[in-house]
Amino acid sequence: MENVFQSQHPLVQHKLTKLRDKATKPKKFRELIREIAMLLIYEATADLALDETQVETPMGIASGALLREKIGLVPILRAGLGMVDGVWEMMPGAEVWHIGLYRDEKTLRPVEYYNKLPVDPTVQVCLILDPMLATGGSAVATVDILKKWGAQRIKFVGIIAAPEGIQALHSVHPDVPIHIAAVDKCLNEIGFIVPGLGDAGDRQFGTG
Ligand code: PRP
């Protein structure tokens, strides 16, 4: 599907396999989320714009390039939080804007509970971070919020998607590239990705 990028990197696949393992404890789980996020962001940012510049080294002048656009990291609470640190290390100048959404257990529709975006957009590129793209409702709602805010470019970076989630996000927001480590088989009757990894929030925070 156009605008859907599934990582083929062996390190991503290796770490993803460890992440899925039900025996993986929260500490290791958080480390893996962080590491996979760093690898995925490397791929997701390959087309960021650069401004050419020059830099003075101890030996002379070198030509170089610096990021042109201001980047915003937008983790969807809670599970997206674990993807922030590693990505932020790669882009320490990024702003972090949290969006709080939870899925209503019955309707599976996202409910917004935290949004402190200022009136005008402060970044040009928004990178939404959320390990799970299940029905796609949370991702669609977050893109809606960011577009209304005035974000010019938005990308979704996740770890595991259900085909239903990819379809939902792509059909409502086809301009938003989806970067993902794996596309699984399906959703089950309670909206969990199968085989997936269980509840990414609970497994990170030890609340399962
Ligand atoms: C999970 C996950 C996504 C959402 C995906 O969060 O982290 O945000 O569900 O589902 P969707 O694609 O069907 O919207 P959850 O609502 O469990 O909240 P939590 O991260 O706070 O545990």
Side-chain angles (χ1 to χ4, degrees):
M1 191 184 285
E2 208 187 325
N3 245 2
V4 179
F5 305 95
Q6 187 176 347
S7 179
Q8 303 299 326
H9 201 292
L11 288 179
V12 171
Q13 297 311 318
H14 176 91
K15 289 175 191 294
L16 176 64
T17 304
K18 305 260 179 196
L19 188 75
R20 288 183 190 274
D21 189 339
K22 67 179 184 187
T24 299
K25 299 273 190 307
K27 182 172 189 294
K28 183 69 186 168
F29 192 89
R30 290 193 297 274
E31 287 169 12
L32 289 164
I33 291 265
R34 180 178 184 280
E35 291 164 0
I36 294 169
M38 289 168 87
L39 291 164
L40 291 176
I41 216 70
Y42 175 79
E43 295 179 346
T45 53
D47 64 350
L48 288 185
L50 291 171
D51 280 328
E52 287 183 13
T53 187
Q54 292 197 320
V55 60
E56 196 175 342
T57 80
M59 308 299 288
I61 302 292
S63 49
L66 294 171
L67 290 177
R68 178 183 301 164
E69 297 155 310
K70 191 88 186 146
I71 317 274
L73 310 181
V74 185
I76 304 178
L77 304 177
R78 291 176 302 166
L81 278 180
M83 296 177 72
V84 173
D85 270 5
V87 172
W88 213 1
E89 235 168 73
M90 294 294 108
M91 289 177 283
E95 297 179 5
V96 181
W97 294 103
H98 302 86
I99 297 291
L101 295 174
Y102 71 85
R103 276 197 325 179
D104 182 279
E105 279 178 16
K106 289 209 179 72
T107 65
L108 297 183
R109 294 300 304 153
V111 181
E112 185 179 331
Y113 64 88
Y114 185 85
N115 173 358
K116 291 282 181 200
L117 290 171
V119 176
D120 295 315
T122 55
V123 296
Q124 282 95 46
V125 182
C126 288
L127 303 171
I128 300 174
L129 307 175
D130 191 335
M132 309 304 274
L133 184 61
T135 65
S138 304
V140 168
T142 304
V143 176
D144 287 342
I145 291 167
L146 294 175
K147 283 189 175 173
K148 208 181 287 171
W149 187 42
Q152 293 164 16
R153 253 178 104 198
I154 303 168
K155 293 172 181 246
F156 178 88
V157 183
I159 296 180
I160 301 182
E164 294 90 330
I166 299 262
Q167 183 58 41
L169 179 55
H170 185 74
S171 63
V172 183
H173 296 296
D175 55 308
V176 174
I178 301 171
H179 292 267
I180 203 84
V183 181
D184 276 9
K185 204 163 80 196
C186 59
L187 288 178
N188 68 10
E189 63 287 351
I190 54 165
F192 273 65
I193 301 174
V194 180
L197 50 69
D199 186 311
D202 281 343
R203 292 195 64 185
Q204 282 181 71
F205 295 106
T207 51

